[in-house]
Every structure is written in structure tokens, then in C-alpha cells.
Amino acid sequence: MSTAAFVVCFAVWTIFAIIGIRIRQELGLTETQFGLLVGTPILTGSLIRVALGVWADIYGGRTVFTATMIAAAIATFLLSYAHTYPQMLLAALGVGIAGGSFSVGVAYVSRWYPAGKQGTALGIFGAGNVGAAVTKFLAPFVLVAFGWQAVAQVWAAALILTAAVFWFTTSDDPVHAERRRTGVKPQNAWLELEPLKNVQIWRFALYYFFVFGAFVALSLWLPQYLINVYGVGIKSAGMIAAAFSVPASLFRAYGGHLSDTYGARRVLYWTFFVSVVTTFILSYPPTDYVLHGANGTYSFHLEMGLMGFTVTVFVLGFFMALGKAAVYKHIPVYYPDHVGSVGGLVGMIGGLGGFILPILFGVLLDLTGLWTSCFMLLFLLVTGALIWMHVAIRQMEREAAGAALARLPPFPEMRDMPAPAAVPHAGAAVLTDWRPEDTTFWQQTGRRIARRNLFLSIPALLLSFAIWQVWSVVVAKLPLVGFTFTTDQLFWLAALPGISGAVLRIFYSFMVPIFGGRLWTTLTTWSLIIPAVGIGYAVQNPDTPYVLLLALALLCGFGGGNFASSMANISFFFPKAEKGNALALNAGLGNLGVSVVQFVVPLVITTGLFGYLGGAPAMVNTATGPAPLWLQNAGFFFVPFIAISAFASWFGMNDVASAKASFSDQAVIFQRKHNWIMCWLYTGTFGSFIGYSAGFPLLAKMLFPDVNALQFAFLGPMIGALSRSGTGWLADRFGGARVTVWVFILMMAGVSGVLWFTGIRTQPGAFWGFFASFLLLFFATGVGNASTFQMIPAICAKEMERLMPDADAEARRQQAEKEAAAITGFTSAVAAFGAFFIPKSFGTSIALTGGAEAALWGFLAFYVTCLLITWAVYARRGGLLHDIERARRGTAARSVAAE
């Protein structure tokens, strides 16, 4: 019954694969808009999987499964009444609830079977993926006969009927039934997330991102791929696409049997090997070859026909099915008590693949014009998964045989030679005795060392921000030097550093305790050389391939990622009383890199700084006639400063020995609710700062075309950076939560001002009110960036009293600092996505409504939630930080009075 229910749920989940084609025709959607539409249900179904899996563990799979089907049926029925693109997207979010049923079914089914048969059982259940083929087989006929609205209504009715049959023909799983019989309460939902700190689970998630996420993405993408590439009709496209969906679903049960019999690892190896080969074949675009031989010229054409394509995707789908079963064979074996939460996380990441990949397929098609670019992306993805799996397995084998391997020499020829004697050397750069909370130690030794590390960290971080944002200036100049890119292509060049920087921050957040702050700061500073030099050479030739510029834009994300590790590193050096100001100085003066690049680059590209070594200038037309432009200096200018900063970091910075921790030790933050709350609040402050930095110039140019707003663009980021570095003491003195409350009030006032002056933009002086409102926003974000980061160590220190009641004060301090460093980095990673989403929100608002007001109202509502959360959780009487901050204020007042 679970399998039958999942078939219907999956058929509903992928309904847009068929009806989306007709909707695209009716609404005239672009490829990217179509990819977003078909991917939206996948997003909901993915994100909801963790919560539904946890609820299934707590409340029982039978109840949660039934409720999930009913909720999805209501949303699917309402879809038939949607008429505009925003309405379609909203309805698609509700349709996606059906996809969350997978994690419920995994938790429910696994409890009925012993470990030796769980692979087969979950394989049979997972074969419910065949619902995608059901939609492809049946939906085209209903659509052609009655319209796409009838498809939605029929599928909703089927879901309601299935929910009723499921409820009356199933019973509670043994674990839940025993819990109800004995009256034992389920464990707290946060404890269900305990295993998620293991990196092994995230590796499983990557595997599932390919075997399941790519399956869903291709299920959605193949019908239009076949129609456009091979010219078949919608019915034929549905039938052929089913040749992929059916084996990728039904053979999942066989994959479970193979995993039980031969081991899941072996099945995954075969899955990835075959997938590498098939995606490489499918990614090869139609190509004409001309060979010049000794006896003449030979030419031939290479292109995959429809029959070859069908057979190849059938093979790919077959092995994807085996891989899906193999991944989920691991979960009940390794995590029998957390199948819901672990299975939900792995399923969520896999489902996100079904959301992200169709969008990337559309983007790649728009950028490259190659339909096979989707398979190129899948080839890179599965190759990475195979390499990571093999490296992890080899590492595990080396650890198991570590002693025997350690006794072997590096080469067989050295077997009889005497072993070299290793003489350990303790470097002075490692601080083995570090007690910043000890007042005597801090005044005599600690402050001097901490300040030296801070003063070396600031220029490195400033350069990182400069490289991160350099494309915001370079992109505007590319057309002047001969590059012929569309506006959309230029937008992606400006946006990609924000995306890659945000993603890298997630990983950089955990690197300092693993590698040490000195080594990591040096390496990440040196990494800035790559995009700086690359940009310098690439912009000199207008024939530089667009894909190379995209790669350089992604590499500029190195600069964005550095912020997370830099802040985590500095947090280890200072005591709680000075940590807020230190982090504010590091981040605030580092943020000045945004203003530096917007102010300095327009100046340095007008002169030949490096002479012959810098390359020849391009002649561009200006208001006063032709003039030379050295656009390459936008990259080359920073190279010597990067080298100086990297050398200074290596020879002048220190590692704190007590700050060492593995990823597993730091991943405990994912169980801390305050980590996620601070992600929300810091997105409100830093996400706004970096997003407005990227979006203000373009927005001002569009709203006030008669004003040269670009000459003022650097002022906003500069004010935000200076306010951050200059107001850290406010949070240290009055408390981060109290300051943050006022910050969000100021930001609400700033957005309200922007809204007001946008509405009267045709009146004289409206621009200056608009500009002043944005300056208020930048100022408030800077203050908020400092105050929110001051809150994090205070929260961690307070929580350690509850979480580690039996530990001594020093152990609690060290654990609080490790968690605070990880949370600092992780929140900065999440907030960095504002660099992409705020400008994109302005663009989407203008495209859908004709103005930016909708986006601004959304930002205002977001700041209201931030204000309420800060007050309710931290600042109010009874809040987590209320007593601490009031005590600090009282102490400061008494100190001033005594002086």
C-alpha cells in the first residue's frame, strides 16, 4: 500500500513535466521560466522531507503519509484555477508536498523488516518513482482531450482516493504501535537531527543528488528535449521519456535485492561507472569533422539518432534505479533509530537536485545554445561523486590497515634500508597556551598577539571583498572594449561571484579548526591571485569565450568565501568582552573592499600602471573623443597587494592549538536552533548589505535615468563598512540583541523611505530622498552586522551552561568558542546569498509588476519578522540574552561612575 500510494504521489509530483509544456505555450515562458515552473514542486517536496521524516518517526508514518496526500490533493485541485505565472508558481509550491511523502514512506516501511531485507523492501517502495512514467503515459491523452486543467483535477481526485484506501487498509508500524501501547513519549525532534553532523550522510546525499535528483530533472526535461531536438510530438515524447522513467523506477526494487546480496558499495561503483560513460556519450553535441590527410580531405558528421538516444537513456535510467536503492540500503543499517531524519535529509538533497538541475539545464541552454549541455553537467556531477566515494573508501581502508601500511617504506626498493628518524619541531606560530578570558594573561601577552592577527586579517579580508565584487565594475566596461554579450549574459557574470562565494562560505566555515587559521588564511589569500590574473588576461581579448569568463566569475567567489573563515579565525583570539568590537573591525574594514573596488578600479583602468607588462590598452569612445582603457588593470592592480598580504599572513599570524576540531565536532551546530535563528537575522543585516551593494547602482539607474547615480555608488557600501567597524563597541556595551532590535527598526524606516521616494520619483529632489534612504539602510546594515555577530558568542556561552552542566568553566569556554566560530562562518554563508537574491528580486519584481515596489514590500515584511524574532527570543524580559545584557550595561555604568 505504501508503494501504491507513493506511485500516485510521484505522479502528482511530476505533473508539470506534461502540463508545463502547454502552460509554457499559453503564457509564452522562456526556457529559464519553464525550468523554474517545473522545478518549484520539486523544491517544496525536497525541503519538506526532513520535517516529514522527523514527524514520521515521532507521530507514525501512517498518520503523516495520509495527511501529506490530502494536503497535496487540495493544492493540485486548486492548480486548475491558476491563470497567471505567479499563481502557477504558488500552486506549484503546494503540489510539491506530494514529493515529501518519500521520507515518510522510508521511515514507515523500514520498521516492518529486518536489516537483511530492508534493501529489498525499500527498493520495492522506491519503485514508486514509476509514477513519473504514469504521468508521461496518461497525462498527454487527458491533456489533448480535455485540457491541462482536467489533468490536475483527475490527479487530485486520485490522490484523495488513494489517501482513503491507504488509511483504511494499513496499520501503525510496530515501533509506533509499541510506543502507544506503553505510553512512552517520542524523543525531542532536535535529537532526531543528531546524526546529521556526520560527513558520511552528506556524502550519501551527494550520491542521491545524482541518482535521484538527476532522475527527477531528466523526467521533467526529457519531453521538451525530445520535442525540440528530434521533432517528435508531445505524445511520442511522453512515451520515449517513459523509456527512461520506467527502468529508473521499477528496477529500483532489483537494486535493493542486489544491494542485499552483493553489497551496496559494489552496486554504487557500477552505477557511477556506467553513468560516467553514458552521460559522456549523451553530452556530445552534433559535430562536423574535417580531416586533412595525405590523399585528400575527409569529412564526416557525428550525431546521436533518436534510437541510440532512447537506448542510452534507458541504460542510464536502469543504473540510476540500482543506485537509488543502494544509497538507501545504507541508511537503516547505519542509522536504525533515525531513519526518518537521515532518510529525510538525503531525500531532501536528492530532491533539491530535481529542483536545481532543471533550472541549470535551462540556464545552460540559454547561455550555450547546446541542448546536450544538460548531460555535460550531469557528467561532471557523477564524476565528482565517483571520485569522492572512491577516495572515502580508500581512506577507510587505510585507517583499517593503518599500522601495517605505516610500517611499509615509500618505495619497494627501500624495504631493507634503515628508516629515517623523525625529529618533531614545535613552531612558535602555534599558541599552545591561550587563555583570553584570563585578565592577567590577556593584558600581558594575549592582547598584543590578538591585535597583530587582527591587523593582518583585515587587509586580507579587504582584498577578498575587492576580488569578490570586481565583476560589478568590469561587467559595465566589457561592451566598451569590444565584448558583444547580451544583457542577460552580463547579469550572470555579475551574479555568479555572489552564488559561488555564498556556497564556498559553507565549506570555509569549518576550515579554520581543521587546518589552522594561519595556514588557511595564507592559502585563501593566495587563491585570489587566480581570478585576479585571469581577469587581467581575459578582458584583453574580445574573442575570449564566454564560458571562460563565467569560470573566472565563479572563481571570484574565493573572495566571498574567505569572509567565513576569517571571522571564524578572529573569534578565537579575543575574550567575550572585546569579541564584538574585534569582529566588527575585521568585518567592517574588510567590507570596505566593496567600496575600494567601486572607487579604485574606475581610476586605475585609465592609466598604464604596469607599462609593457600590463598589456596594450583598448581605445574606447568617450564624451571627449577616443581614449585608452586598460581594463586588465581591474585584475592586475590587486596582484602585488595579494602577494604581500599572503606573505604577511604566513609569517605574522598564529594558530590557536585549542581551536582544533574536526568537521564532525563542529557539525553539532546544525542541531542548535540558535544557529538557524541567527542565519535568519544575519541575512537581514549582511544579506541586505551585500545585496544592496550589488543592486543599488542598477536600480538607481533604472528609476532615475537622468541622474548619474554610478558616481555615488561606492558611498553606500563605504558607510555600511565604516558603521560596522565603528559601532562594534555599541553591542559590547549595550548588548547585541538590544542594538539589533533598533537596527531592524532603522531598516524598516529606510525601506519605507525608499518606497515613498520611488512612488514620487518624477518629482524634483526625489532622487536625493531615495539616495538618503538607501544610505540609512547601509548604515543600519553595518551596525546590525556588528551587533548580530556580537550576539553569537554570547548565545553560545549561555547555552553551554545548559548543555554542559557538569563540565568545568574552561571546557565550556572552549566548546562555546568552537561552536561560535562555526556558527559565525555558517551564518555568513547563508547571508551571502543576498548578493544574488536581492538584485534578482528587484529584476523579478520589475519583470512581473513593472516596478520594484513588490520587492521592497517583501523586504519590509522580512525585516518585521527579524525584529519580532530578535525581541521575542533574545531581547525581551525572559529572553536568552536579557539578563546578560542588562548586567553588562549596569557594570559599564558603575565603571564610568567610579572613574
Side-chain angles (χ1 to χ4, degrees), residues 422-715:
V423 180
H425 174 70
V430 180
L431 304 175
T432 56
D433 179 26
W434 188 248
R435 294 170 282 115
E437 301 296 342
D438 184 331
T439 305
T440 303
F441 173 86
W442 176 250
Q443 293 177 348
Q444 294 180 352
T445 306
R447 178 179 279 117
R448 174 178 52 82
I449 297 175
R451 287 182 174 178
R452 184 180 70 243
N453 281 268
L454 174 61
F455 293 151
L456 291 174
S457 175
I458 288 172
L461 188 55
L462 186 147
L463 290 168
S464 296
F465 269 92
I467 295 299
W468 193 25
Q469 296 295 310
V470 70
W471 274 107
S472 65
V473 180
V474 172
V475 162
K477 304 294 184 181
L478 288 179
L480 295 177
V481 295
F483 288 88
T484 56
F485 297 139
T486 65
T487 302
D488 191 52
Q489 287 176 314
L490 294 175
F491 165 78
W492 279 106
L493 285 175
L496 281 181
I499 298 175
S500 61
V503 172
L504 285 175
R505 283 189 178 193
I506 297 175
F507 300 99
Y508 281 28
S509 303
F510 305 99
M511 294 298 105
V512 168
I514 296 175
F515 294 98
R518 171 173 168 260
L519 173 61
W520 189 252
T521 302
T522 302
L523 291 177
T524 53
T525 303
W526 274 120
S527 72
L528 304 176
I529 287 281
I530 301 173
V533 173
I535 290 172
Y537 283 111
V539 299
Q540 295 185 56
N541 184 4
D543 295 326
T544 300
Y546 180 65
V547 67
L548 178 59
L549 296 180
L550 287 176
L552 289 171
L554 285 171
L555 291 175
C556 284
F558 285 155
N562 287 359
F563 179 82
S565 55
S566 177
M567 296 298 284
N569 182 43
I570 292 303
S571 70
F572 286 111
F573 284 95
F574 287 85
K576 290 193 294 291
E578 299 185 29
K579 202 181 292 284
N581 192 49
L583 292 176
L585 285 170
N586 189 54
L589 296 179
N591 290 166
L592 274 177
V594 180
S595 289
V596 167
V597 78
Q598 293 179 350
F599 181 77
V600 171
V601 169
L603 297 178
V604 300
I605 62 177
T606 61
T607 181
L609 290 177
F610 302 98
Y612 174 79
L613 295 177
M619 299 303 297
V620 300
N621 293 322
T622 66
T624 58
L629 188 72
W630 288 267
L631 188 57
Q632 58 267 35
N633 287 354
F636 290 154
F637 172 77
F638 296 102
V639 171
F641 298 103
I642 292 171
I644 293 170
S645 179
F647 278 116
S649 298
W650 179 251
F651 291 106
M653 296 188 76
N654 300 94
D655 291 325
V656 179
S658 61
K660 290 291 184 180
S662 66
F663 173 81
S664 179
D665 295 333
Q666 300 174 80
V668 69
I669 67 170
F670 297 123
Q671 304 169 44
R672 310 297 194 219
K673 68 178 181 179
H674 295 289
N675 173 50
W676 304 105
I677 294 174
M678 293 310 299
C679 284
W680 187 267
L681 300 183
Y682 194 59
T683 299
T685 57
F686 179 79
S688 298
F689 167 79
I690 198 67
Y692 291 143
S693 297
F696 169 74
L698 181 59
L699 181 65
K701 183 179 179 181
M702 295 181 64
L703 295 179
F704 301 94
D706 297 331
V707 179
N708 184 13
L710 296 180
Q711 62 182 321
F712 308 112
F714 74 95
L715 289 174

Side-chain angles (χ1 to χ4, degrees), residues 188-338:
N188 186 278
W190 289 105
L191 296 179
E192 290 284 347
L193 303 178
E194 170 71 24
L196 302 190
K197 67 181 182 180
N198 297 327
V199 70
Q200 178 191 52
I201 294 175
W202 299 90
R203 183 158 44 86
F204 292 163
L206 174 65
Y207 303 163
Y208 206 62
F209 187 89
F210 173 75
V211 295
F212 178 75
F215 157 72
V216 174
L218 289 176
S219 295
L220 299 171
W221 190 256
L222 281 180
Q224 70 153 348
Y225 183 96
L226 291 161
I227 291 171
N228 288 279
V229 175
Y230 294 105
V232 301
I234 188 171
K235 293 182 180 179
S236 299
M239 295 295 180
I240 297 173
F244 167 78
S245 300
V246 170
S249 305
L250 294 180
F251 286 104
R252 184 167 182 164
Y254 183 56
H257 169 72
L258 291 177
S259 298
D260 284 338
T261 306
Y262 299 103
R265 183 192 304 175
R266 183 176 299 180
V267 174
L268 278 176
Y269 261 121
W270 275 106
T271 295
F272 290 153
F273 274 131
V274 174
S275 297
V276 166
V277 174
T278 53
T279 53
F280 178 80
I281 295 172
L282 291 167
S283 66
Y284 212 84
T287 309
D288 290 307
Y289 288 91
V290 178
L291 303 179
H292 301 283
N295 299 319
T297 300
Y298 306 92
S299 63
F300 62 92
H301 179 75
L302 187 64
E303 181 177 2
M304 177 174 285
L306 180 59
M307 181 57 66
F309 178 85
T310 304
V311 172
T312 307
V313 296
F314 178 92
V315 173
L316 177 62
F318 172 79
F319 278 93
M320 278 182 165
L322 304 186
K324 285 184 283 188
V327 171
Y328 267 85
K329 165 65 179 176
H330 290 85
I331 293 173
V333 174
Y334 284 101
Y335 308 98
D337 298 326
H338 301 87

Side-chain angles (χ1 to χ4, degrees), residues 327-378:
V327 171
Y328 267 85
K329 165 65 179 176
H330 290 85
I331 293 173
V333 174
Y334 284 101
Y335 308 98
D337 298 326
H338 301 87
V339 175
S341 58
V342 176
L345 175 75
V346 174
M348 180 191 77
I349 300 298
L352 284 176
F355 168 72
I356 295 171
L357 290 175
I359 298 176
L360 292 180
F361 291 169
V363 169
L364 287 174
L365 178 59
D366 288 340
L367 295 179
T368 66
L370 296 176
W371 278 97
T372 58
S373 58
C374 60
F375 294 106
M376 297 177 186
L377 176 62
L378 296 183

Side-chain angles (χ1 to χ4, degrees), residues 135-156:
T135 290
K136 292 183 178 66
F137 272 123
L138 301 180
F141 296 97
V142 180
L143 183 148
V144 172
F146 304 105
W148 69 264
Q149 291 88 348
V151 178
Q153 294 171 357
V154 171
W155 265 232

Side-chain angles (χ1 to χ4, degrees), residues 10-32:
F10 212 92
V12 171
W13 198 31
T14 56
I15 192 174
F16 279 97
I18 299 300
I19 69 172
I21 296 175
R22 181 60 55 85
I23 292 172
R24 181 182 64 175
Q25 295 170 349
E26 291 182 0
L27 299 181
L29 305 181
T30 66
E31 297 296 342
T32 303

Side-chain angles (χ1 to χ4, degrees), residues 876-897:
R876 68 176 177 85
R877 186 178 300 277
L880 186 68
L881 299 180
H882 178 272
D883 293 340
I884 298 175
E885 294 184 350
R886 298 289 172 173
R888 176 187 291 113
R889 174 67 181 128
T891 300
R894 288 191 298 271
S895 176
V896 171

